Amino acid sequence: MILVTGGAGFIGSNFVLDWVGLTGEPLVNLDKLTYAGNLENLASLKGDPRHVFIRGDINDAGLVNGILTGYRPWAIVHFAAESHVDRSIHAPDDFIKTNINGTFNLLSQALAYWQGLDADEKAAFRFLHISTDEVYGSLGSDDHPFTEVSPYAPNSPYSASKASSDHLVRAFYHTYGLPALITNCSNNYGPYQFPEKLIPLVILNAIEGTSLPIYGDGQNVRDWLYVSDHCEALRTVLAKGAPGQTYNIGGNNERTNLEIVHAVCGLLDELCPSQGVGRYSSLITHVKDRPGHDRRYAIDSSKIQRQLGWRPVEGLESGLRKTLMWYLDHMDWVKNIKTRAYQDWIEINYGAMEE
Ligand code: NAD
Ligand code: DAU
């Protein structure tokens, strides 16, 4: 039995589905079901005793303690977070509450539980903290990609909150010996991603024939990682990673935002030709830049490749094609996501942005 936090979000639900499907091992999924959590992602596990869902907050000490002592997991895989950079710019409070205070509470409860285990269980226990390449700040075009020893230089309220949580995890290992590991990964894409993030936003706007907003000049670079490659990396780190270590996980797919959006448009032209707008790329619109927008992220994942034998297998073209097909085949999921709250967010973030 393992405990997953945030398992109804994008990466968490992909991880839960893969975990149950590939290992068959049961898990408890603790998720607050914020706007980003969606039980529809896990509909295929309905009634499956291997998936125990508990709605709750990682800040709730009594609840977390009860889950740990009641289910006795050998690992905690910690995804729960506020994850969207733009929202952290508009309203950072929840990022502090969940990403910093919530992680601190989870660590404190995990430590108390771990200290009560017998020697074998203690040695086998793992606390796996899922973090981001954004903690390392921004790269210049000629800089070497981020390694595990790159200095921390977070630039947004989101990345600052994730950096804080990384430091707490590290401190719990060094001070108390809690067998914790950290992974820092690059931009994920794939099924079930909430359409506030670039790739699903562009897919859904294009299908609706509305503009495709590119912040600034569109030359910012991200390193795209297909979500199932990420989930495989996490299972590998759980199985073979050394406590106290950090592992960087990337997709070897550096692209500018404009390149990504053109690739999505090209695939849509092929898979779902537009009746009204001609080529989808004609919808691309440059809008005001994100404040403090990091220019480039890139991951050097040679440590996890060399030491643990993981490497990404999905190519960007094939991964984008799978992602697009998934959204086209799940328009009911999309319809249910597009709530009043989602429309409000689009208005808050893009309302006054066109240049
Ligand atoms: P997401 O926003 O899609 O999902 C977050 C999940 O956490 C949701 O299900 C939400 O309900 C839950 N949650 C939020 N606050 C909670 C709380 N207080 N208690 C319990 N549950 C809570 O996020 P994601 O994109 O799946 O990211 C998962 C993790 O991976 C995050 O920690 C994020 O920082 C990290 N990460 C994401 C990416 C990416 O590209 N998406 C890249 C690097 C790292
Ligand atoms: O690098 C890992 C991070 O990737 C994760 O830690 C975050 O949780 C995740 O949200 C993601 O952050 P980004 O800010 O890189 O992702 P996003 O999809 O929001 O934006 C990707 C790039 O596209 C970024 O340079 C901003 C740009 N962008 C984004 C949106 C939503 C646009 O140009 N237009 C948009 O409308």
Side-chain angles (χ1 to χ4, degrees), residues 38-342:
N38 185 353
L39 281 181
E40 272 191 55
N41 301 0
L42 301 164
S44 61
L45 292 177
K46 203 159 183 226
D48 189 324
R50 295 171 299 180
H51 177 236
V52 180
F53 181 78
I54 296 175
R55 184 175 191 177
D57 193 322
I58 55 168
N59 277 294
D60 184 337
L63 177 64
V64 174
N65 173 265
I67 292 172
L68 291 173
T69 53
Y71 290 95
R72 302 187 58 77
W74 66 267
I76 299 176
V77 186
H78 177 34
F79 294 98
E82 290 292 336
S83 69
H84 191 33
V85 174
D86 294 318
R87 287 185 194 256
S88 83
I89 295 168
H90 287 280
D93 305 45
D94 284 345
F95 290 73
I96 308 304
K97 284 186 197 133
T98 288
N99 300 1
I100 304 178
N101 297 341
T103 300
F104 173 63
N105 182 53
L106 200 63
L107 283 165
S108 303
Q109 301 310 319
L111 179 62
Y113 165 70
W114 176 74
Q115 284 172 333
L117 297 176
D118 68 31
D120 287 348
E121 291 170 329
K122 260 184 155 169
F125 186 79
R126 296 290 182 268
F127 185 106
L128 174 53
H129 176 62
I130 316 304
S131 191
T132 170
D133 57 4
E134 300 200 12
V135 299
Y136 301 122
S138 187
L139 291 167
S141 51
D142 295 330
D143 290 341
H144 186 81
F146 300 126
T147 71
E148 289 77 2
V149 295
S150 295
Y152 272 44
N155 290 319
S156 71
Y158 163 70
S159 53
S161 69
K162 292 296 290 188
S164 307
S165 63
D166 291 9
H167 291 323
L168 285 167
V169 174
R170 180 189 155 90
F172 269 64
Y173 168 75
H174 280 278
T175 307
Y176 307 112
L178 183 73
L181 306 95
I182 300 174
T183 54
N184 296 85
C185 73
S186 59
N187 287 61
N188 284 222
Y189 69 105
Y192 303 109
Q193 188 166 30
F194 192 82
E196 62 190 356
K197 308 285 165 57
L198 180 68
I199 289 177
L201 181 99
V202 163
I203 294 172
L204 300 185
N205 281 17
I207 292 169
E208 286 184 356
T210 58
S211 66
L212 312 180
I214 299 278
Y215 298 162
D217 64 5
Q219 295 305 316
N220 303 67
V221 171
R222 298 292 182 265
D223 173 0
W224 294 95
L225 171 67
Y226 194 63
V227 65
S228 60
D229 275 337
H230 183 200
C231 293
E232 167 70 23
L234 297 176
R235 291 192 300 277
T236 304
V237 171
L238 263 185
K240 300 192 215 162
Q245 291 295 308
T246 288
Y247 299 94
N248 280 0
I249 304 169
N252 292 337
N253 287 313
E254 280 191 62
R255 297 288 187 283
T256 66
N257 293 337
L258 264 177
E259 285 171 334
I260 283 291
V261 174
H262 276 289
V264 169
C265 289
L267 282 166
L268 274 174
D269 287 334
E270 175 198 326
L271 294 170
C272 169
S274 163
Q275 307 302 317
V277 297
R279 294 209 169 267
Y280 286 105
S281 54
S282 66
L283 295 169
I284 290 175
T285 309
H286 287 264
V287 299
K288 206 154 91 207
D289 209 352
R290 171 187 278 174
H293 196 176
D294 285 338
R295 196 63 172 167
R296 174 177 168 235
Y297 304 140
I299 283 276
D300 174 345
S301 61
S302 52
K303 178 176 171 182
I304 185 173
Q305 298 200 25
R306 205 177 48 249
Q307 295 187 2
L308 307 186
W310 171 88
R311 56 183 37 77
V313 293
E314 192 69 60
L316 186 63
E317 218 266 345
S318 60
L320 281 178
R321 186 179 287 272
K322 283 185 190 170
T323 305
L324 254 152
M325 304 274 284
W326 186 86
Y327 281 93
L328 294 174
D329 286 346
H330 291 81
M331 289 316 280
D332 280 352
W333 182 94
V334 169
K335 203 171 99 216
N336 294 339
I337 285 273
K338 293 208 157 187
T339 57
R340 182 68 246 161
Y342 177 75

